[in-house]
Amino acid sequence: MDKILLKLLLKFVKLFANKGIDFERLKIITETKVMMDRRRSPASWKRKQQKESKNPLMMTLIMYALMGLFIGVVIFSLKSLLVAMIFIHAYLLFMMAMTLVTDFSAVLLDTADNQILLPKPINSRTLFLSRVVHILVYLSQFFLALTIAPVIFTFINYGPLVGLTTILTLMLTVAFSIFITYLLYALILRFANEQKIKDIVGYFQIFMTIFFAVGYQIIPRLINFDNGNFTFTLHWYSYLLAPVWMAMSVDSLYQMNFNNIHLLMIACAVIVPIFTVWFMVKFLAPSFSRKLGAMSNDAEVIKTNKVVVNHKKDWSEKLARFICISRTESAGFEKVWKITSRDKNFKVQFYPSLAYLLVFAFVFIFKSGKNITEVWAHLHETKMFLWFIYLPLISISSSLAIIPFNENFSAAWIYQSVPLTKPGEIISGGIKVLLIKFFIPVYLILFGVAFYIWGQALIGDFTLGFFNNILIFLLIANINEHSLPFSRQANIKQQSGKIVRALLQLILIGALIGIHFLALKIFWLPSALIPVSATVAYLLLRRIQNLPWLQISI
């Protein structure tokens, strides 16, 4: 698809390009950029794979097309064209803006063109136009993937006039989303340095992953499209919303209604995107490029500055003194604590699993088909607090499969360069980080929610559940392959046995919930099981701490 789009755009550029453009060099640059896009894995759809895909971008486009198919079905089921058009334009505006922020940030913020190509016999106009063509090819692919299904359904449901008008308004929406993205980056560049920009973009990526993870499970359960009886009421703030402009423009042609309100919306739909694109090309893009150049120069200056060492102890060092049994375990604790705080790849992979707590709570407690208000009103009469006790384990246990892998795995030589007689203490230090940093805060939050619903009667159950969770967490750690933290290459992760281990984990958790549920029938039994659970958990931890080198996978 990208090759076809690139050829079409290059033919268009060749017809209208002036003498200051070197077309042959422009063609080589854009073809190279498109090839690099094809190999780059978009951030919002990264997955742990044993074998990398030859074209990760194509896989992302397929996923977006499937999302577009779902949106198209929704639009087809709605009886109101106005509501359907608001829905599709809002969806496209959000998706294009967030895709540009998360997946295209490496291109928008890239200064390599200036450093690599400008010293060559390539003028600035050719370089600027190559960037424009590259962005258009990239956006066109996502535009087609996101809108092809909704547009087809629009043609089928409302005819060619509405379909063609929808294509036009969707293109104007994309133009407006580009302006919003450039404006967002301009504001960030105004108040932030290069590292802060990377952090902000990283949080956007995490948000996108969480949004899709949660939305995929919850939104279809909340919305009922059976009758399609949705209505829209025009308010004062509707005049500020681009999807409303576009939707009312399409609705105006469909109904042949050109009153003052519809004419105003048509004017906004056409004039505002065109004006914002002109403003972006005339003022925002040059300023953006100058700021990027200044940022690149500042980065070179910063690299020459001396590093100031802060000797003040942080939280990880203070906690390690109290909960670690040796200096080796303390070293493992501090290493895992700091890397999990800084490493973006770990956050992108693990934080969405925390978001699944909301999904699991919704699925297991507020089941589909039942009135949520009614379920909440009678929740205190049930034993559903058991889900609040054991839900954290379902999500946080995934961290055990993530911490052995890191992009900078080659630095793991340090483990074998020091005289470690008990390498298992490094692993146990990392396990303690996962429990203290992620499990305990989530568990306390869910305890607060459960305490509000069921009262103090469940304090004993949550105490038993606390040790049971740790017991199962350590049991899973004992069952899994033993690897030192961040010591293995992510793209060669062994997949054999993963399904079996995942099923075993679910069976263990389910069995534990069942045992706890049966123990509730004898009022003194949960309290009696607390020391038993704590003792077994301690023995499992000691087993990990005493692991020799022969049982460590390198």
Side-chain angles (χ1 to χ4, degrees):
M1 183 193 297
D2 52 1
K3 292 182 180 179
I4 297 173
L5 291 171
L6 180 59
K7 287 181 179 179
L8 292 174
L9 284 171
L10 287 177
K11 288 182 179 180
F12 181 81
V13 170
K14 191 174 183 178
L15 290 174
F16 296 97
N18 56 36
K19 296 181 179 180
I21 303 299
D22 189 332
F23 182 78
E24 291 302 321
R25 287 184 170 85
L26 170 68
K27 181 179 179 181
I28 294 172
I29 294 171
T30 51
E31 286 177 347
T32 305
K33 286 176 176 286
V34 169
M35 184 185 300
M36 292 172 64
D37 277 344
R38 206 178 301 137
R39 297 173 179 175
R40 181 173 56 87
S41 297
S44 55
W45 295 105
K46 284 182 179 176
R47 291 292 182 266
K48 296 174 283 184
Q49 297 177 347
Q50 183 180 6
K51 185 177 180 181
E52 294 183 356
S53 173
K54 293 182 179 179
N55 194 343
L57 180 60
M58 181 57 65
M59 296 302 297
T60 305
L61 294 175
I62 292 173
M63 294 298 296
Y64 275 38
L66 291 175
M67 293 173 56
L69 180 62
F70 171 76
I71 298 297
V73 172
V74 171
I75 292 170
F76 192 75
S77 65
L78 292 173
K79 295 180 180 179
S80 171
L81 172 65
L82 181 60
V83 174
M85 288 297 108
I86 292 175
F87 194 82
I88 184 177
H89 287 89
Y91 148 78
L92 180 65
L93 180 65
F94 173 80
M95 288 299 302
M96 291 301 297
M98 293 304 295
T99 299
L100 282 169
V101 169
T102 57
D103 290 337
F104 208 50
S105 59
V107 176
L108 290 175
L109 300 176
D110 186 22
T111 58
D113 286 354
N114 299 335
Q115 299 171 5
I116 297 173
L117 296 178
L118 280 181
K120 305 295 187 293
I122 301 172
N123 59 52
S124 58
R125 288 186 179 182
T126 302
L127 184 60
F128 174 76
L129 189 58
S130 70
R131 182 180 286 262
V132 172
V133 172
H134 178 211
I135 291 175
L136 289 175
V137 171
Y138 186 89
L139 291 179
S140 298
Q141 294 178 82
F142 279 88
F143 173 76
L144 290 173
L146 290 167
T147 61
I148 185 168
V151 167
I152 290 173
F153 281 113
T154 302
F155 269 95
I156 294 172
N157 216 20
Y158 298 102
L161 178 62
V162 174
L164 293 172
T165 307
T166 302
I167 293 175
L168 177 62
T169 55
L170 289 174
M171 294 174 65
L172 291 171
T173 301
V174 172
F176 191 67
S177 68
I178 297 173
F179 169 75
I180 292 175
T181 305
Y182 262 93
L183 187 62
L184 174 63
Y185 275 122
L187 292 173
I188 294 174
L189 286 171
R190 176 67 178 83
F191 300 104
N193 56 30
E194 185 178 9
Q195 184 57 43
K196 288 183 179 179
I197 290 173
K198 292 179 180 178
D199 292 339
I200 293 170
V201 171
Y203 286 121
F204 267 115
Q205 294 171 352
I206 294 169
F207 168 76
M208 281 289 287
T209 309
I210 292 174
F211 174 82
F212 288 123
V214 176
Y216 178 77
Q217 293 290 337
I218 291 182
I219 292 176
R221 298 171 182 268
L222 290 176
I223 303 176
N224 181 10
F225 297 111
D226 289 340
N227 51 23
N229 292 325
F230 290 87
T231 59
F232 172 75
T233 304
L234 193 67
H235 298 282
W236 64 268
Y237 52 80
S238 302
Y239 295 93
L240 305 176
L241 303 176
V244 178
W245 310 338
M246 308 299 175
M248 292 200 70
S249 299
V250 177
D251 186 67
S252 176
L253 288 175
Y254 179 65
Q255 298 186 13
M256 290 300 168
N257 183 1
F258 299 99
N259 57 25
N260 293 334
I261 294 177
H262 282 86
L263 288 175
L264 178 61
M265 291 296 183
I266 293 173
C268 290
V270 176
I271 296 173
V272 173
I274 294 175
F275 172 77
T276 53
V277 170
W278 172 83
F279 180 81
M280 179 180 64
V281 173
K282 186 72 175 177
F283 301 104
L284 203 57
S287 175
F288 187 79
S289 300
R290 287 194 298 270
K291 185 64 178 177
L292 280 179
M295 185 179 69
S296 178
N297 294 333
D298 291 343
E300 294 296 327
V301 173
I302 291 172
K303 289 179 182 178
T304 62
N305 292 340
K306 294 182 179 180
V307 178
V308 178
V309 180
N310 186 4
H311 295 284
K312 186 178 179 181
K313 292 185 177 181
D314 57 18
W315 273 101
S316 62
E317 296 177 61
K318 294 177 181 178
L319 286 172
R321 292 175 56 190
F322 293 101
I323 67 171
C324 295
I325 62 172
S326 66
R327 296 184 66 179
T328 300
E329 192 175 63
S330 296
F333 183 93
E334 293 177 31
K335 176 184 177 68
V336 174
W337 185 287
K338 291 173 181 177
I339 292 181
T340 53
S341 299
R342 300 169 183 171
D343 187 59
K344 184 182 70 174
N345 290 329
F346 174 84
K347 294 177 181 178
V348 170
Q349 291 182 67
F350 175 64
Y351 283 9
S353 67
L354 295 180
Y356 264 102
L357 287 171
L358 176 62
V359 175
F360 290 136
F362 187 88
V363 171
F364 293 133
I365 298 174
F366 304 109
K367 295 180 180 178
S368 178
K370 294 185 179 181
N371 185 280
I372 294 179
T373 305
E374 183 180 350
V375 173
W376 179 265
H378 298 281
L379 197 58
H380 66 281
E381 302 171 0
T382 68
K383 303 294 184 182
M384 288 292 183
F385 62 82
L386 289 174
W387 290 114
F388 285 87
I389 293 175
Y390 294 103
L391 276 177
L393 183 60
I394 297 176
S395 293
I396 295 172
S397 61
S398 65
S399 61
L400 289 171
I402 298 174
I403 60 168
F405 304 95
N406 191 266
E407 290 182 348
N408 300 317
F409 67 96
S410 57
W413 63 267
I414 192 68
Y415 290 131
Q416 296 179 340
S417 67
V418 294
L420 291 178
T421 57
K422 292 184 178 180
E425 291 182 349
I426 296 287
I427 299 176
S428 65
I431 290 173
K432 289 181 177 180
V433 170
L434 300 177
L435 290 172
I436 293 173
K437 191 175 184 179
F438 300 112
F439 170 72
I440 291 179
V442 172
Y443 195 78
L444 291 176
I445 291 172
L446 292 178
F447 170 73
V449 175
F451 186 84
Y452 173 78
I453 299 172
W454 283 277
Q456 61 182 4
L458 49 70
I459 293 178
D461 292 293
F462 262 83
T463 304
L464 173 61
F466 177 80
F467 290 106
N468 283 346
N469 275 286
I470 295 177
L471 187 155
I472 295 297
F473 193 80
L474 292 171
L475 185 59
I476 293 170
N478 276 274
I479 294 172
N480 286 347
E481 191 176 18
H482 303 302
S483 300
L484 295 170
F486 309 110
S487 63
R488 302 181 64 182
Q489 189 175 5
N491 63 350
I492 59 171
K493 183 175 179 180
Q494 297 297 323
Q495 300 295 316
S496 59
K498 276 189 65 180
I499 297 177
V500 175
R501 286 196 295 270
L503 289 174
L504 183 58
Q505 291 177 19
L506 291 175
I507 291 172
L508 289 172
I509 296 170
L512 203 60
I513 294 175
I515 293 171
H516 196 149
F517 180 78
L518 294 175
L520 293 175
K521 299 182 182 298
I522 305 174
F523 74 93
W524 55 267
L525 189 55
S527 299
L529 290 175
I530 291 174
V532 176
S533 180
T535 301
V536 175
Y538 173 76
L539 294 175
L540 290 171
L541 178 63
R542 290 296 298 168
R543 183 182 182 279
I544 293 174
Q545 291 170 337
N546 293 322
L547 286 173
W549 277 109
L550 290 175
Q551 297 184 29
I552 303 295
S553 299
I554 299 175

